[in-house]
Amino acid sequence: EITLYIAIVMESIALIFRLLFLKKLINFPIYTFIKEIIFKNIIIVILSISLPLSIRNILDVSTLRLLIIVVLSLIWSALIIYLIGLNKKEKTIIKKGIQKVLSRSQI
């Protein structure tokens, strides 16, 4: 477990140095990156694990619990990513792709 924490700290330090290097090299907008990418991803992760953890704490250990958590995790994560993680252009691309698949299946 401590190895995981050390790896997270090391990766965070490396990210800081990469961002500073990019700022110096190409005037990279660090604040915008942190706000639009890092914070958004943290929110998505927190919300994505909320439902599966709740179900895990409510249901007894069983194969059924595993199946429910897996299915709901996939659906819940996809929904959270769609609602929070994608911009309007990306949502439009997803909608068109889904419509294309649905139109093919109706043939």
Side-chain angles (χ1 to χ4, degrees):
E1 187 175 314
I2 189 73
T3 307
L4 176 63
Y5 295 131
I6 292 172
I8 291 171
V9 169
M10 297 297 289
E11 288 296 328
S12 299
I13 293 169
L15 176 62
I16 291 168
F17 281 110
R18 285 192 298 267
L19 291 174
L20 293 173
F21 179 71
L22 285 171
K23 175 74 172 173
K24 185 176 181 178
L25 188 66
I26 60 170
N27 200 23
F28 186 76
I30 295 175
Y31 176 74
T32 304
F33 176 80
I34 290 172
K35 185 177 97 175
E36 293 181 10
I37 305 299
I38 302 295
F39 286 151
K40 191 182 276 190
N41 284 336
I42 289 171
I43 291 168
I44 289 170
V45 168
I46 290 169
L47 290 175
S48 292
I49 64 172
S50 65
L51 182 64
L53 286 179
S54 299
I55 293 169
R56 179 180 162 256
N57 292 333
I58 292 170
L59 299 177
D60 293 329
V61 176
S62 68
T63 306
L64 179 61
R65 181 181 89 166
L66 173 66
L67 292 173
I68 290 171
I69 290 174
V70 168
V71 171
L72 284 178
S73 293
L74 291 170
I75 294 169
W76 182 244
S77 295
L79 181 64
I80 296 297
I81 290 168
Y82 181 81
L83 294 175
I84 297 173
L86 300 180
N87 60 34
K88 288 182 181 181
K89 186 177 179 181
E90 293 166 335
K91 287 178 183 179
T92 302
I93 293 170
I94 297 293
K95 286 177 187 176
K96 286 181 181 177
I98 291 171
Q99 289 171 348
K100 196 174 191 179
V101 169
L102 291 176
S103 68
R104 284 184 190 169
S105 65
Q106 293 177 354
I107 298 175

